[in-house]
Amino acid sequence: MAVSWLARLAADAPTPVFAVAGVDAWGAVQELRGDPRIRLAATPRHAAVLLVAGTILAGHGEALRRVHDQLPRPRAVVVWRAPGTGPAIPALAVVDGSADEVVSAVGRAHASILADPTRAQADLLPDEEPTEWRGVGPFGQGGEGMMGGTPYGRPMAMTGDDRDGLALDQLHLTLGPFLDPLPPGLTLDVTLQGEVLQDVAVDRAAPPVVDHAAPGDPATPAAAARRGLHWLAHALHVEGLDALAGRAAHLASQVAVGDVAADRSADRLARLVTATGVLRSLRGVGAVDGADASDRWRQRLAAIVAALRDGVVPRALEPAPSDDAALAGLLVGVTLTDAVSTLVSLELPGVLRPAVAA
Amino acid sequence: MTTLPPVVAVALVVAVLTVGVYGVAVVDRLVSAVVAGWMVSAGEALAAPLRAVAVAVTRQPVTTEAPDRILWVLAPAAYAGLAAAALAVVPLAPGVAVTDVRTGIVVFGAAEALAIVAIFLHGWAPNAPLPLIAGYRFVGVALSYELLSMFVLIAAAIPAESMSIGAIVESQAGLWNVIRQPLGLPLFLIVAAGVTFLGPLDVVDSTDLAGGGAAEDSGMQHLAWSAARAAMLIAFSAASAAVFLGGWHGPVLPAAVWMALKTAGVATVLVGARHVIARVSPERFVRWAWTVLLPLAFLDLVIAGMASL
Amino acid sequence: MLSAFLAGLTVTAAATLATAACVVLARRAAGAMSTAPQRVPVLGGSQPETHAWSRFHVRYYPMTLLFIAFEMEMMFMYPWAVVYVEEGLKALVEMGMFLAILSVGVVYAWREGAFRWQ
């Protein structure tokens, strides 16, 4: 009895969700931040439900399964607006409809696995260590002395040179494609020494779509504003302002249904965002052609307000930098913190553009 | 110097921290709802912490590949223990402190400094890249704010001629330190934001590193860490109230009520800051702390010194 | 005096043990260990090539040395604060000189770029 009482109490909480979104559904997922019934978590470890939205590329199937398995048990999967072409994933619920429907489905899925954990979804990957544990050496670390072992399946980091003359360990990491702070479909291969990026390779899920006249391009002010607000909701979330992100996402959903009060709210939101000091703290970060992250935030905020208040379709931001090598060059030598802030502030072609085209 | 019998002391600290942590969770829900523009009923806000506990209890605490299991358990435990130790030297009413030792601000400062170790080890323990990076960058920030705390607490000890926090409260019978040493409270609140890594100093469990130090925490592991963090916030709020806001001094209401109100007020300000102040990049904060905030702390000391001549 | 520290220690130990017990009991209650795919560190779907533990390049190490200089100075400031009112102007001038010398260190470190690590 006690357990069912606990399950009911837990089911009444905002459902912690980790969302994995294709570029075509990323905006819609950001809009869910405006719904108090769910809470989009920054890591799969904090989530109970995995939301798989939109087109997941076939090449990302392995990554999707890995994220799925990283959720603590009991877990549930809800699939939203899947085109049926991506990697198959067993789901407790499949939804095609509105944001409201998917939020209800997520809540029901959470309640259902709480009430009956046997309904929860099992791991998708086999329960095998990544590399065989070898057990050689004085501590069983697998190698000779300090080098060459693979303790518990993975080797230890090796040293690399650095500009300050200290040869300390480098971490080679692949971040993404489903890392919460990164723009959708972006995978970063980085070499870190300390917190600073020494080497970066960028991989984008979709080929750049630079065709501005693509069908469904944000030709109306409302569509442009909504897209801007999706960006703002995610960007505020990354900068640690989740409650304001909720406000931006809620405004996006108001715009979607044509709420006339939205223009006043946009003004207020822009003022609130400025008051947090986020523009000040991003000054000097990720400068491209003389415009830093702070300038880009300011432009985007102004574009949202202009679209809603004056009905102006904003001129698209310069998609800069245009190619992957230039983007990677922008990130080399900065801290991971600033690299994430830079990526979030940029208009990345091929990452955000197809969102409306699909 | 006052000291309570251990049993009473434990009961008092458990009561204050339980009510405090619960209150922090409720206020957090209310403030985030206001900032997000949501409607939230009082009942819903009061139920929110219980529901969060229920969610945590029903989730599996995940481990990573070859983590340091002992440290992973000890980090939240030590953080909570240090919050209790910090609170123990803060008197909550005249003569009511777990132990108002003569070296109160030294004990408080020690708890605060050791919390840096607990927070770093929490990032270290899972043997995962993102928590590790969060832990290391926090230490850079922490070593920069730590000095401020020492300076403003020492400045408050000057007019009291004692390092006991009870004596510091008594020294404010005429004029509160927040007026006598106007730089003290703002600097101390920056330290509080640092130790509980919120608002501008949200550099540990931060979303830009996908949860940072807590990226691998799930279920009870994450709940224990969040609760310890809220407990530390309460310890700092109580200390701010006692050292800068006159503690239990105030008209009409009983002493303990004044102390509770001031503590709750400071805690609300800190929780609010979490939702309305953006993160400062760690590197920028380090530079700013040494070149702007540290001279301000010196100035605070000079002001306190001149006023006590 | 001893009883004072006993009370403080009891409270600290109680909070530490209670929190540790919650985590340990929850880990016990969860029963089965995390499976191998669950244990992979969070990187957004990728696998790490190496362990995270490494000889991490702490780029703020010059700042930590500066920190130690100040931290030692705190030792002298505690008793100084207690006798300040008694000693008056002399105490203010003495500590002012001491801090001024340390401040030169901060200015030097700043000039040398000890507070930036990009």
Side-chain angles (χ1 to χ4, degrees):
Chain A
M1 268 304 94
V3 170
S4 77
W5 171 78
L6 194 66
R8 269 207 305 280
L9 196 59
D12 284 341
T15 312
V17 177
F18 187 76
V20 163
V23 280
D24 51 343
W26 187 79
V29 166
Q30 297 311 316
E31 209 165 303
L32 299 180
R33 294 187 191 281
D35 197 315
R37 290 172 293 170
I38 65 167
R39 197 168 48 72
L40 288 184
T43 152
R45 306 295 197 197
H46 299 173
V49 176
L50 179 68
L51 177 65
V52 182
T55 313
I56 306 295
L57 299 181
H60 289 164
E62 181 80 4
L64 175 61
R65 284 188 285 275
R66 196 164 289 130
V67 169
H68 171 278
D69 288 358
Q70 282 174 337
L71 262 77
R73 289 187 293 260
R75 63 172 91 88
V77 176
V78 174
V79 170
W80 188 28
R81 294 183 185 165
T85 53
I89 184 163
L92 212 61
V94 178
V95 184
D96 246 349
S98 65
D100 194 57
E101 284 170 51
V102 79
V103 169
S104 308
V106 162
R108 278 197 306 276
H110 187 215
S112 126
I113 52 166
L114 283 168
D116 179 7
T118 59
R119 260 178 267 174
Q121 291 174 288
D123 287 0
L124 297 173
L125 294 169
D127 187 6
E128 288 164 6
E129 295 293 345
T131 316
E132 197 190 337
W133 157 244
R134 280 183 281 167
V136 197
F139 303 100
Q141 82 275 21
E144 294 293 322
M146 297 288 287
M147 295 295 184
T150 52
Y152 302 95
R154 296 199 199 278
M156 302 303 288
M158 290 304 219
T159 54
D161 286 332
D162 192 53
R163 58 183 177 214
D164 67 358
L166 284 177
L168 292 172
D169 284 353
Q170 290 175 321
L171 291 177
H172 301 280
L173 301 175
T174 306
L175 303 173
F178 303 124
L179 194 68
D180 173 71
L182 295 184
L186 193 68
T187 310
L188 287 183
D189 263 314
V190 301
T191 302
L192 278 166
Q193 195 169 87
E195 210 211 331
V196 172
L197 274 64
Q198 283 191 316
D199 192 25
V200 184
V202 179
D203 176 32
R204 293 182 220 189
V209 180
V210 200
D211 183 9
H212 288 248
D217 205 66
T220 66
R226 197 167 162 217
R227 222 180 59 123
L229 287 165
H230 291 159
W231 167 81
L232 183 61
H234 177 251
L236 286 169
H237 160 72
V238 173
E239 297 301 334
L241 298 163
D242 263 310
L244 265 185
R247 182 178 278 260
H250 183 65
L251 184 57
S253 55
Q254 276 180 304
V255 173
V257 297
D259 195 322
V260 285
D263 58 338
R264 297 249 312 275
S265 314
D267 245 352
R268 194 171 146 68
L269 177 66
R271 275 204 309 277
L272 284 172
V273 170
T274 309
T276 63
V278 68
L279 299 176
R280 230 171 315 132
S281 83
L282 289 173
R283 214 172 279 162
V285 174
V288 185
D289 301 335
D292 57 19
S294 173
D295 296 326
R296 290 190 290 271
W297 272 66
R298 200 160 303 172
Q299 280 173 340
R300 284 171 181 255
L301 282 176
I304 293 166
V305 173
L308 283 179
R309 196 185 47 200
D310 312 327
V312 180
V313 182
R315 198 168 50 84
L317 276 181
E318 285 303 311
S322 46
D323 66 282
D324 289 354
L327 180 58
L330 190 60
L331 304 178
V332 170
V334 306
T335 60
L336 190 54
T337 315
D338 282 358
V340 169
S341 290
T342 304
L343 284 171
V344 164
S345 72
L346 287 170
E347 178 87 3
L348 296 174
V351 171
L352 283 182
R353 231 156 259 291
V356 228
Chain B
M1 193 180 82
T2 61
T3 298
L4 298 175
V7 180
V8 183
V10 170
L12 178 73
V13 166
V14 167
V16 171
L17 286 185
T18 309
V19 172
V21 169
Y22 191 91
V24 166
V26 171
V27 171
D28 189 72
R29 179 95 178 98
L30 287 171
V31 174
S32 65
V34 168
V35 175
W38 292 331
M39 302 297 281
V40 59
S41 68
E44 206 179 311
L46 286 171
L50 297 177
R51 289 172 179 162
V53 169
V55 170
V57 170
T58 54
R59 312 293 311 146
Q60 166 205 17
V62 172
T63 49
T64 49
E65 290 167 358
D68 192 323
R69 284 164 206 281
I70 295 174
L71 282 184
W72 213 354
V73 172
L74 272 183
Y79 195 24
L82 291 167
L87 189 64
V89 294
V90 180
L92 304 174
V96 184
V98 170
T99 171
D100 182 11
V101 287
R102 277 182 304 173
T103 48
I105 59 169
V106 182
V107 174
F108 191 90
E112 183 190 306
L114 286 171
I116 300 174
V117 179
I119 296 166
F120 169 73
L121 289 179
H122 179 247
W124 165 273
N127 186 14
L130 297 175
L132 188 78
I133 292 167
Y136 273 110
R137 77 176 185 184
F138 168 72
V139 173
V141 167
L143 295 185
S144 307
Y145 70 62
E146 184 62 27
L147 291 174
L148 307 178
S149 150
M150 301 292 115
F151 279 115
V152 297
L153 288 178
I154 287 172
I158 289 176
E161 296 183 63
S162 165
M163 290 184 281
S164 142
I165 297 182
I168 293 177
V169 176
E170 285 305 341
S171 77
Q172 300 174 72
L175 190 61
W176 295 358
N177 275 344
V178 68
I179 299 165
R180 199 158 48 181
Q181 308 173 358
L183 291 170
L185 183 61
L187 290 173
F188 194 67
L189 289 181
I190 292 175
V191 178
V195 180
T196 55
F197 39 97
L198 53 79
L201 298 183
D202 169 27
V203 299
V204 189
D205 297 356
S206 52
T207 40
D208 68 333
L209 294 181
E216 303 289 344
D217 283 4
S218 63
M220 188 52 102
Q221 178 79 50
H222 191 216
L223 179 72
W225 184 245
S226 312
R229 186 177 170 190
M232 190 56 94
L233 194 147
I234 289 299
F236 264 85
S237 305
S240 308
V243 175
F244 297 104
L245 294 172
W248 54 74
H249 294 299
V252 188
L253 296 173
V257 174
W258 270 116
M259 185 63 189
L261 284 177
K262 289 172 186 175
T263 303
V266 176
T268 306
V269 167
L270 285 171
V271 172
R274 188 178 159 188
H275 295 290
V276 298
I277 304 182
R279 179 188 316 119
V280 182
S281 110
E283 195 201 11
R284 205 156 317 186
F285 175 77
V286 169
R287 205 153 55 232
W288 198 56
W290 284 93
T291 55
V292 179
L293 298 181
L294 192 62
L296 283 180
F298 288 168
L299 186 61
D300 181 55
L301 209 57
V302 171
I303 294 171
M306 299 298 260
S308 303
L309 277 178
Chain C
M1 201 63 210
L2 202 61
S3 69
F5 283 104
L6 189 68
L9 274 180
T10 315
V11 169
T12 308
T16 307
L17 290 176
T19 313
C22 283
V23 178
V24 169
L25 287 177
R27 286 201 180 269
R28 283 278 154 78
M33 269 233 312
S34 304
T35 56
Q38 255 191 324
R39 290 201 297 270
V40 176
V42 171
L43 286 173
S46 308
Q47 295 226 48
E49 285 175 27
T50 57
H51 279 280
W53 290 337
S54 54
R55 285 155 289 191
F56 195 90
H57 196 149
V58 177
R59 285 166 199 272
Y60 46 81
Y61 57 87
M63 182 270 281
T64 62
L65 297 179
L66 195 61
F67 174 77
I68 291 175
F70 274 92
E71 202 58 357
M72 292 315 294
E73 187 248 345
M74 291 297 159
M75 304 283 186
F76 304 112
M77 285 193 85
Y78 286 124
W80 169 82
V82 176
V83 299
Y84 178 89
V85 174
E86 248 171 74
E87 299 287 325
L89 195 60
K90 191 175 123 215
L92 182 67
V93 171
E94 280 179 356
M95 193 49 75
M97 281 161 57
F98 197 7
L99 287 179
I101 293 168
L102 282 175
S103 302
V104 174
V106 176
V107 173
Y108 176 71
W110 182 33
R111 201 200 68 172
E112 293 292 309
F115 307 134
R116 35 176 79 240
W117 59 80
Q118 298 217 359

